[in-house]
Every structure is written in structure tokens, then in C-alpha cells.
Amino acid sequence: MNMIGAAPFNPSLMFPMGTDALGYDTAMKVLQGAKFTLISVIAIGVLRVFVGFLFAIPLAMYTPDRLRKNLEQLLSSFYFVPLTIVAVFILTPVLWEQLRMPGWEEYFLYPYKARIGIEILVLTLLVVPLLGSLIANLIVSSLNEDFIEGAKVLGASKWRIFTKHVMPHVLPKLVIVFCQQCVQVLVIFIHLGYFKLFFGGTDVDYNPYVADPPLSTTNEWSGLIGDYYNLIHANPAIALGPMIMFGICIYAFQMMAEGFQRHLETRNVKGFKQAKRNKRQEDANEISGKFQFLQNRGA
């Protein structure tokens, strides 16, 4: 008996992640949108850390302690500002397709590349105050180490202290901050997808009779979740593919941060043990050499 069904289809051997309402393979769309999601997340994470680091240098190195603490208290208020809501207000006119009357012409305020650039810029600058304050605390913590006092006694300038002593201690920690920021960007992408603000722009159908739901122009993962949200009640598995990929990426970045954190905690111990083993080996070689010398001399 032949069974005839209609899209969206559930996951199967032919369609591992199912299909959408039009019958397109969800796995292929997820694969197509992976480059937009991952590249944009990594780019935003790198820019956040870089700009935050530039913001933190004068805050930690050249700002008096009292003023820096007051600024830190002021910047801490940004922790209570929902970044997603701010991003929605700023990015809605940029990403949402507009309608020009009376010709019913659909258009974007900015071209495609400009929309991507503006979204990356907005999602980067939103966290610069908080991230700059966090990185400034890391720099100040390094400046309070004993070897910094020794460098000051020897007459090292602030720039030399920063480049030769602070940077080697702060840069490895920035890798952990980068992984954390990538996780935060992924979460914000999911939230923007819920609000139908997709990366690269949201294609809106203004047909007054039977309008199609807003569509993503790039098939990035948050756009797929936003596209499929209205169909979850009809087919709960339809958004399973992009949600699984988001979960895998978040888990991967968290594991990277945890692994690097564990490496930073144990590298000094490993270095001490390695130096101790090298010392023992040198002592053993020295004793062996002396014994060989005495043996040759006795012969």
C-alpha cells in the first residue's frame, strides 16, 4: 500500500533532519547556512576581544585607581541591560525588509554587504564596555604580581612592562574570553531568530492576501529556527536540525574554554615538574661524568 504525505516530512534515512514546509532538505539548508553562522560568530568574537582589549589598555595602564573603580561600577550597570532587546531595536530597520508605497515595492534600507557589516559592528560594540572592563581587571591583576614590582625597580617603562610581562600572562586568558564571547553570540543569534531578524536580512512578503512567512536570505541557523518556529506545533521535529547544530557549537566552544582553563591552571605545575626532572637528569649526568673521569684516571 502506497502512502502519500505532504511536507514537512519527519527525519528519515533519506532526510536525516527532515524537510521544511516546501519539501526542501533541512540538512542541506543547515549545511549551506553553516558558513554564514560560524564565520560570523568567530568574526564577532575576535572583534569583541580585540576592541575590548584596546579599550582596556588605557583603562588599566593610565587611569588612576580611584577613577578606574568608579568607571567599573558605572560599566557594571550594563550587566542588567538585555543586549538582545537593544540589538532588536537597533537592527530592526537594518535587517527587516521595508515596503514602499504606492507601488508596493519591497526593499532594504542598506545593501546586502552593508547589512552584514552593520550587524557585526552592532553586536561587537554592544559588549565593548563590559568586555573592556573585564579585560582591564585581568591586566590590573597581572600588574599586581611581584615580578612587576621587580621590573619597576630595575627601571622598566610602562610600555616595556606591558609588552614583556603583562601580555604573556593576559593573552592566554583572552582565548578563554573569546570562547565565552562566541557562546554569547550564538545565544544572541537564537534570540534574534525568534524575533525574525535574520543574519543578512529578513525577506518579508507583504502580499495582502496570502503572505508567506518571513524568510532568511542566507539560510543561517538562527534564520532557519525563525523560519520553522511557526510550524513547530504541526511538526515538532522541523526545527530540530538547526537547534542540534547550535547545541553542538555551544558545547564545543565551552569545552574549548574549559580545556584551555585547565591548561592554564596546570601549566606551571607541569613546568615545575619538567624542570625538576631536567635538574635530576643533569645531576645524574654530572655524577656519571665524574665517575667516568675517576675511572679513566685510575686506569
Side-chain angles (χ1 to χ4, degrees):
M1 179 177 180
N2 294 329
M3 299 296 294
I4 299 177
F9 296 104
N10 289 322
S12 61
L13 293 177
M14 181 176 294
F15 304 112
M17 294 183 180
T19 69
D20 60 9
L22 299 177
Y24 291 105
D25 188 0
T26 303
M28 295 304 297
K29 298 183 74 172
V30 168
L31 185 62
Q32 180 185 3
K35 58 180 180 292
F36 295 101
T37 305
L38 296 179
I39 293 176
S40 60
V41 166
I42 294 173
I44 294 172
V46 170
L47 287 175
R48 282 183 170 190
V49 174
F50 178 73
V51 178
F53 184 67
L54 295 180
F55 179 80
I57 292 175
L59 185 62
M61 299 292 295
Y62 301 101
T63 305
D65 290 341
R66 184 174 181 179
L67 178 59
R68 181 178 55 80
K69 291 180 180 179
N70 292 333
L71 288 175
E72 183 178 350
Q73 293 178 353
L74 176 63
L75 296 176
S76 64
S77 61
F78 284 89
Y79 281 107
F80 304 98
V81 178
L83 298 181
T84 300
I85 301 301
V86 177
V88 168
F89 279 109
I90 297 176
L91 294 176
T92 295
V94 177
L95 300 179
W96 192 263
E97 192 173 26
Q98 309 294 320
L99 179 65
R100 182 182 290 116
M101 300 293 288
W104 294 84
E105 179 184 358
E106 299 172 357
Y107 70 100
F108 287 100
L109 295 178
Y110 302 93
Y112 176 70
K113 293 182 179 180
R115 296 196 300 270
I116 292 179
I118 292 173
E119 183 172 2
I120 291 176
L121 182 64
V122 169
L123 295 181
T124 298
L125 296 180
L126 282 178
V127 300
V128 167
L130 289 176
L131 193 58
S133 177
L134 172 64
I135 298 175
N137 290 334
L138 295 177
I139 297 175
V140 171
S141 178
S142 299
L143 290 173
N144 293 330
E145 297 290 342
D146 294 336
F147 61 86
I148 298 296
E149 294 297 327
K152 292 180 180 178
V153 171
L154 294 175
S157 62
K158 283 188 175 182
W159 179 249
R160 181 171 180 82
I161 290 174
F162 177 76
T163 55
K164 298 297 183 180
H165 301 285
V166 176
M167 288 288 288
H169 286 77
V170 173
L171 285 180
K173 298 178 182 178
L174 293 183
V175 178
I176 301 175
V177 176
F178 163 74
C179 295
Q180 294 172 346
Q181 292 303 310
C182 288
V183 172
Q184 187 184 72
V185 173
L186 286 169
V187 174
I188 292 180
F189 271 13
I190 296 175
H191 294 166
L192 292 178
Y194 174 80
F195 287 101
K196 306 293 184 182
L197 295 177
F198 308 143
F199 184 80
T202 304
D203 185 10
V204 183
D205 184 10
Y206 287 97
N207 190 331
Y209 301 105
V210 184
D212 294 329
L215 299 175
S216 172
T217 59
T218 58
N219 284 333
E220 51 88 23
W221 295 343
S222 63
L224 295 180
I225 293 178
D227 288 344
Y228 300 155
Y229 178 77
N230 294 330
L231 299 174
I232 288 179
H233 297 290
N235 186 1
I238 189 170
L240 193 60
M243 291 176 64
I244 289 176
M245 298 308 298
F246 265 116
I248 291 175
C249 288
I250 291 174
Y251 179 76
F253 281 117
Q254 288 179 336
M255 288 297 99
M256 290 170 57
E258 182 178 347
F260 209 83
Q261 178 68 35
R262 190 174 302 172
H263 168 72
L264 292 179
E265 293 174 353
T266 59
R267 66 173 180 173
N268 293 332
V269 177
K270 292 180 179 178
F272 175 76
K273 291 181 178 179
Q274 184 65 32
K276 194 173 182 180
R277 286 195 295 267
N278 294 338
K279 179 64 176 175
R280 289 176 179 176
Q281 186 66 32
E282 291 176 0
D283 293 341
N285 293 336
E286 183 178 358
I287 293 173
S288 177
K290 290 181 179 179
F291 179 78
Q292 186 69 26
F293 173 75
L294 294 175
Q295 187 179 14
N296 294 335
R297 184 177 180 180

